[in-house]
Amino acid sequence: PPLTNFTKAFLRYKFNQTTIVVGEKPLNLDTQRFIGSVGWRQMPQTFGMFSASHQINTQLSVLGALLYRRNGIIPENDKGYRRGSGILHTEYVHSEPLKVTGYAYLLEDIHNTYGANIKGEVKAIPLIFSYRVEYALQRDPFIGNSNEIDIKTEYYNIEIGAKHHHLFSKIGYEVFGDKGNGSTGFSTPYATGHKFNGWSDVLLGKISSGNNDGLKDFNLTIGYASKSFGKSMLVYHKFDSVKNNTNFGSEIDFLYKKKILSQIDLLLKIALYDNGDNSSFVDTNKYWIMTTIGF
């Protein structure tokens, strides 16, 4: 749709280890599973904010922000907050094998999300192992009018990866809770949703707004990356509901990315979704060819 936005219009002031930001800008936290700029889209998602971040020491940092507006990737997603939405995010880096993150995302009239994740890498020559474990819960929002909102649901994600020279792989299991006794299942309306649960975006609506029966995503990634060859990656997803044993289908994604010369990037991308005889979805194939030229 026709759309014009200022994607960056802010003031930033830094003194010592503290940074203050006032204005409109993208905001990417962690993997962008909950808060992201949706940079894949033509129009990125941005937020109007008052934020302060502080590097307490070399290992510990904290961010606090009050959001007064959301500018979405389409006009229907734009929202001005009457009382504001709050963000608290802290990260502690103990060592390469152990990094801990905790967060609270308090979204006006939507929900409160509280969670934490741990991640790290362990070198066991000739392999490098990685892991990421995350847990979050959602409850009623206490900002805004929440009289008709009743949310009690949970989320967890487990990822284990391995790398050997140019080869890499990952296995993951991501679960979005069903609505239980609440009004909706676990949702991530401000995430960079295209990164997760299949690049076809067929399942995107089940995550952004919450699925009453929940969603389980078993995924497997294998790939190869080198400076001369570029990066290739194959991803398989199997989707099912948490409740009622509904088959949501499966998807195979493929990506190839390579730098041609010094200023040109080439990207090829394929998403093949199979609905698995689920009448709620349609078999969907998508293909992309993209280049970025720098000057």
Side-chain angles (χ1 to χ4, degrees):
L3 181 61
T4 302
N5 275 340
F6 282 103
T7 57
K8 292 182 180 178
F10 63 91
L11 297 174
R12 178 169 54 205
Y13 180 68
K14 184 175 181 179
F15 58 97
N16 298 326
Q17 299 301 313
T18 301
T19 302
I20 306 295
V21 173
V22 180
E24 309 266 349
K25 68 184 295 292
L27 182 61
N28 293 312
L29 298 178
D30 294 333
T31 62
Q32 305 179 43
R33 174 71 276 185
F34 294 96
I35 305 290
S37 63
V38 201
W40 173 256
R41 303 300 182 186
Q42 184 71 24
M43 182 65 70
Q45 175 172 257
T46 63
F47 296 95
M49 69 179 74
F50 303 97
S51 73
S53 59
H54 182 66
Q55 188 74 39
I56 298 173
N57 53 44
T58 57
Q59 295 177 297
L60 183 62
S61 62
V62 62
L63 165 71
L66 176 66
L67 308 181
Y68 59 84
R69 182 163 61 241
R70 175 202 187 190
N71 297 316
I73 62 174
I74 56 176
E76 290 79 2
N77 290 346
D78 293 352
K79 179 179 176 63
Y81 303 115
R82 299 186 305 274
R83 300 174 60 184
S85 291
I87 286 177
L88 180 63
H89 183 275
T90 183
E91 184 176 46
Y92 175 70
V93 180
H94 177 270
S95 59
E96 192 65 26
L98 180 60
K99 301 177 183 178
V100 182
T101 299
Y103 51 82
Y105 305 133
L106 315 177
L107 305 182
E108 178 181 287
D109 294 335
I110 301 178
H111 49 54
N112 292 343
T113 301
Y114 312 95
N117 65 68
I118 59 173
K119 61 182 179 180
E121 286 188 351
V122 178
K123 295 182 180 179
I125 297 175
L127 296 176
I128 298 176
F129 293 99
S130 62
Y131 72 94
R132 191 173 191 276
V133 179
E134 185 161 15
Y135 174 80
L137 55 86
Q138 286 182 347
R139 296 295 183 262
D140 303 353
F142 62 72
I143 299 177
N145 183 10
S146 59
N147 294 333
E148 298 180 359
I149 303 176
D150 180 21
I151 298 177
K152 296 178 181 178
T153 186
E154 300 173 331
Y155 163 93
Y156 64 88
N157 182 37
I158 301 172
E159 298 176 356
I160 299 174
K163 183 178 179 181
H164 177 66
H165 296 302
H166 301 301
L167 294 170
F168 61 91
S169 63
K170 184 182 72 172
I171 186 171
Y173 188 62
E174 189 175 32
V175 177
F176 296 80
D178 62 83
K179 72 173 186 176
N181 296 323
S183 57
T184 185
F186 199 97
S187 64
T188 60
Y190 292 175
T192 300
H194 180 76
K195 288 182 61 178
F196 311 93
N197 311 118
W199 300 333
S200 71
D201 290 338
V202 172
L203 275 293
L204 186 62
K206 291 287 185 183
I207 303 307
S208 61
S209 59
N211 182 41
N212 289 344
D213 289 338
L215 175 68
K216 296 184 292 187
D217 177 2
F218 170 81
N219 53 87
L220 178 65
T221 301
I222 56 173
Y224 180 91
S226 70
K227 187 173 181 179
S228 59
F229 174 79
K231 179 181 180 180
S232 65
M233 187 167 65
L234 185 69
V235 185
Y236 170 77
H237 293 270
K238 179 64 178 73
F239 306 111
D240 295 283
S241 67
V242 173
K243 186 179 178 181
N244 295 328
N245 296 319
T246 303
N247 176 14
F248 287 143
S250 62
E251 180 166 325
I252 296 175
D253 296 329
F254 174 77
L255 176 145
Y256 177 69
K257 184 177 182 180
K258 181 174 175 55
K259 182 176 287 294
I260 303 175
L261 302 176
S262 60
Q263 298 294 330
I264 301 175
D265 289 326
L266 175 67
L267 176 69
L268 305 176
K269 199 170 177 180
I270 300 173
L272 308 174
Y273 170 78
D274 181 355
N275 69 1
D277 298 325
N278 188 316
S279 60
S280 300
F281 303 104
V282 177
D283 289 349
T284 302
N285 299 332
K286 292 185 179 182
Y287 310 89
W288 297 266
I289 301 177
M290 188 170 92
T291 183
T292 303
I293 303 174
F295 299 92

